[in-house]
Amino acid sequence: MAYDADVIVIGAGLAGLVATAELVDAGRSVIVLDQEPEQSLGGQAHWSFGGLFLVDSPEQRRLRIKDSRELALQDWYGTAGFDRKEDHWPKKWAEAYVDFAAGEKRSWLHQQGLRIFPVVGWAERGGYDATGHGNSVPRFHITWGTGPGVVAPFERRVREGVAKGLVQLRFRHRVTGLARTAGALDTVTGEILEPSAAERGTASSREATGAFELKAQAVIVTSGGIGGNHDLVRSQWPERLGTPPEKLLSGVPAHVDGLMLGIAEEAGAHHINRDRMWHYTEGIENWNPIWSKHGIRILPGPSSLWLDARGKRLPVPLFPGFDTLGTLEHIMRSGHGYTWFVLNQRIIGKEFALSGSEQNPDLTGKSVRDVIGRARADVPAPVKAFMDHGADFVVEKDLDALVRGMNAVSGDGLIDAEELRREITARDREIANPFTKDLQVTAIHGARAYLGDRLIRTAKPHRILDPAAGPLIAVRLNILTRKSLGGLETDLSSQVLMADGTPLPGLYAAGEAAGFGGGGVHGYRSLEGTFLGGCIFSGRAAGRAAARAV
């Protein structure tokens, strides 16, 4: 049989680029298919903050963080909550990934040219017991260059493959079918879409101008998840998270539609854990959107007062940055799809970061001067732009005016000024001493015991209603779609399995399409910084395994 290439890779995001780069190193010929135009090469990873989960890194050790493979695996298992028969391969992937993060991950990425920002972030702090959810220590390493800095080394390797004649990049090729010959998957069919000059992330035409059929000895699916398809998100929304919200913001472009997962399933692939998903609770409407319903996630420090739609504090330990899905579950059972942060300018200037490469021009542009300027500014420029233009922001000098603004933004009129004043005043009284019964205040003191948080992420404890720290700020927080945690079931070589547990010959999957490994390496929850790394690790495994197989 005549093949068009040794391997076909479906999806030109991070996992697809990594798999292709590994295939090029092995001397294999590759066709990369993607429905978007070339300007969207790199997929969702381009838009990311560039966070990477590393264990016992030089950056951690410089900051006196004592981490280990054993502690990280304890945190992973406590967070994942694996409890299903289908978790056999995801659990094996979890152990392998933690070994990677504690082993060669950093040195291997460094060899590719990737560099790390020296201050390590502390995401998903948990707040339960030692075997429960969350990172026991800071592990969130920011790539110098953010998302584009993660993509660049692998894009370079792929383009070198193009120059060698080993790689064909075929954009505007939308896959609609997979087929087998003599039991092995070897055929990819689809539509050729009309050329598009759509800018990265914006919607492109779905007008077909032709069709294609291609054959290869192996096919790797790296098409991403479902976050841009709100109908699919709602249809797979688990009962344990309550009723899905009427209003959803999108943390990913619309082309992240999940349709390729169904196509692979029709070809015999086993799609598992589809009810596991990762959505953020701190979403704000982008005042300068790139795609439809474009939301940005706030990466908060621990000091903002988190209130439900009626102005009541969220329960312990649902503090900013502690438990994403625990907070989501609480919100969706409250009867309202939004919450509030109440804070002041001193807190927002120190503690608010915004997720995304475009919201962090200093880190994305690798400018030391601009990073220093951000640290010295009263409020970083991207955050100040949201204060000035964001639909979810209310900025006022006094609390009564703030409450009027909050009620105007929500349209519900649920916040009572006197009740909110009592709530904030009670919290502020707890600030007078270093000891307190308020566990959020305890968490603030704990955060400042870590040098990285004290330097750039946690404001010195003070009264929210202190006029010298003003003005007061309220931020309405919406639910923001982001990641599928389930996906196509794969073994440790990234080979796709069928429902009976046997491999589907010729088919591999990596990245979000494979639940970042195994069909759900995260289980129910993520420790953060693990999505890009999951794309890299599973993409590398898929590329190397496919290279051996052909």
Side-chain angles (χ1 to χ4, degrees):
M1 179 185 295
Y3 293 108
D4 298 286
D6 294 327
V7 181
I8 295 172
V9 175
I10 302 171
L14 179 59
L17 292 176
V18 174
T20 303
E22 293 296 311
L23 287 160
V24 169
D25 283 358
R28 305 297 186 262
S29 61
V30 189
I31 296 174
V32 180
L33 305 176
D34 198 286
Q35 66 182 354
E36 295 306 301
E38 185 170 2
Q39 45 270 34
S40 285
L41 184 71
Q44 296 179 60
H46 171 89
W47 299 107
S48 74
F49 196 31
L52 295 171
F53 178 92
L54 297 173
V55 177
D56 192 26
S57 69
E59 289 76 20
Q60 288 176 299
R61 293 193 292 271
R62 288 190 200 105
L63 292 166
R64 300 179 182 177
I65 299 166
K66 295 181 180 180
D67 201 5
S68 68
R69 182 255 186 199
E70 292 73 23
L71 182 60
L73 193 61
Q74 173 180 297
D75 288 347
W76 195 292
Y77 285 162
T79 293
F82 294 124
D83 61 0
R84 298 174 177 176
K85 180 181 178 182
E86 291 83 2
D87 286 332
H88 171 77
W89 285 110
K91 193 172 181 179
K92 287 185 176 295
W93 271 92
E95 184 173 358
Y97 182 70
V98 171
D99 286 344
F100 179 58
E104 66 171 314
K105 181 179 179 181
R106 186 188 181 281
S107 61
W108 185 73
L109 290 173
H110 194 272
Q111 291 169 7
Q112 314 293 315
L114 188 144
R115 297 294 182 265
I116 301 294
F117 186 68
V119 180
V120 183
W122 195 354
E124 289 295 301
R125 304 183 188 207
Y128 304 94
D129 60 27
T131 60
H133 168 64
N135 284 294
S136 299
V137 298
R139 296 191 178 104
F140 190 87
H141 296 68
I142 301 168
T143 302
W144 188 234
T146 67
V150 177
V151 172
F154 303 103
E155 179 180 348
R156 171 184 50 77
R157 290 171 62 191
V158 169
R159 293 200 183 276
E160 288 172 356
V162 173
K164 293 175 182 177
L166 289 173
V167 178
Q168 299 177 48
L169 296 173
R170 299 193 183 184
F171 299 100
R172 306 301 284 156
H173 280 61
R174 188 185 195 192
V175 176
T176 58
L178 301 173
R180 292 190 252 179
T181 301
L185 196 144
D186 62 357
T187 305
V188 180
T189 57
E191 302 171 333
I192 301 174
L193 305 178
E194 67 180 359
S196 173
E199 295 183 9
R200 181 189 291 274
T202 61
S204 61
S205 167
R206 291 293 178 262
E207 185 70 28
T209 60
F212 69 88
E213 178 177 303
L214 297 168
K215 290 185 178 293
Q217 298 178 66
V219 175
I220 305 176
V221 175
T222 59
S223 54
I226 69 172
N229 187 337
H230 290 187
D231 290 339
L232 198 53
V233 168
R234 289 191 171 94
S235 72
Q236 296 181 187
W237 191 276
E239 184 178 348
R240 66 180 177 276
L241 293 181
T243 303
E246 293 182 9
K247 178 182 179 180
L248 283 170
L249 298 181
S250 285
V252 295
H255 66 254
V256 186
D257 55 24
L259 299 182
M260 191 64 224
L261 293 169
I263 294 167
E265 198 170 10
E266 289 176 5
H270 193 205
H271 184 188
I272 61 174
N273 296 320
R274 67 185 76 211
D275 65 317
R276 292 177 179 171
M277 50 186 69
W278 188 254
H279 306 307
Y280 291 117
T281 53
E282 313 97 330
I284 51 177
E285 294 183 32
N286 193 345
W287 66 272
N288 188 23
I290 296 170
W291 53 80
S292 176
K293 300 179 182 178
H294 187 178
I296 297 294
R297 185 204 176 193
I298 296 170
L299 303 172
S303 301
S304 297
L305 206 62
W306 204 338
L307 310 172
D308 67 18
R310 296 184 179 275
K312 301 297 184 184
R313 287 180 73 177
L314 271 56
V316 174
L318 305 184
F319 311 136
F322 276 65
D323 181 0
T324 294
L325 286 199
T327 306
L328 177 60
E329 180 178 353
H330 177 80
I331 293 170
M332 297 323 303
R333 296 190 185 284
S334 73
H336 299 276
Y338 67 93
T339 55
W340 292 97
F341 277 166
V342 171
L343 60 157
N344 56 39
Q345 182 161 300
R346 187 179 297 172
I347 293 173
I348 204 171
K350 184 87 167 185
E351 298 195 4
F352 268 34
L354 301 173
S355 183
S357 55
E358 82 282 13
Q359 299 297 331
N360 295 276
D362 51 345
L363 293 166
T364 303
K366 302 181 181 180
S367 171
V368 174
R369 183 181 67 180
D370 289 348
V371 168
I372 294 171
R374 180 214 286 237
R376 290 176 174 173
D378 288 339
V379 179
V383 176
K384 185 63 166 63
F386 273 92
M387 288 176 63
D388 293 341
H389 307 294
D392 297 303
F393 282 71
V394 182
V395 181
E396 295 289 352
K397 291 184 177 180
D398 66 82
L399 188 61
D400 289 332
L402 189 78
V403 169
R404 288 194 295 271
M406 293 168 71
N407 286 330
V409 166
S410 71
D412 293 338
L414 297 176
I415 306 295
D416 180 88
E418 288 310 307
E419 288 185 8
L420 181 55
R421 190 183 307 276
R422 282 193 292 271
E423 193 80 75
I424 299 175
T425 300
R427 177 266 185 202
D428 281 357
R429 289 192 186 104
E430 298 289 322
I431 292 294
N433 297 286
F435 34 84
T436 174
K437 70 178 181 183
D438 189 312
L439 289 182
Q440 184 176 2
V441 177
T442 298
I444 295 168
H445 289 305
R448 286 182 60 82
Y450 165 49
L451 179 61
D453 273 355
R454 187 166 70 253
L455 287 174
I456 63 172
R457 289 293 285 150
T458 306
K460 184 178 180 180
H462 65 280
R463 292 182 298 113
I464 289 176
L465 294 179
D466 182 354
L472 294 170
I473 301 164
V475 186
R476 179 180 59 178
L477 306 173
N478 309 279
I479 309 303
L480 175 72
T481 67
R482 187 59 66 87
K483 299 295 182 187
S484 318
L485 296 188
L488 304 180
E489 187 178 19
T490 62
D491 63 17
L492 286 178
S493 66
S494 288
Q495 185 158 23
V496 172
L497 305 179
M498 296 184 287
D500 64 1
T502 60
L504 200 172
L507 187 62
Y508 300 80
E512 193 171 352
F516 302 95
V521 67
H522 297 94
Y524 288 95
R525 305 184 191 191
S526 166
L527 286 170
E528 285 287 23
T530 55
F531 299 127
L532 295 174
C535 289
I536 291 168
F537 186 54
S538 61
R540 190 178 79 156
R544 291 180 176 182
R548 290 192 298 269
V550 301

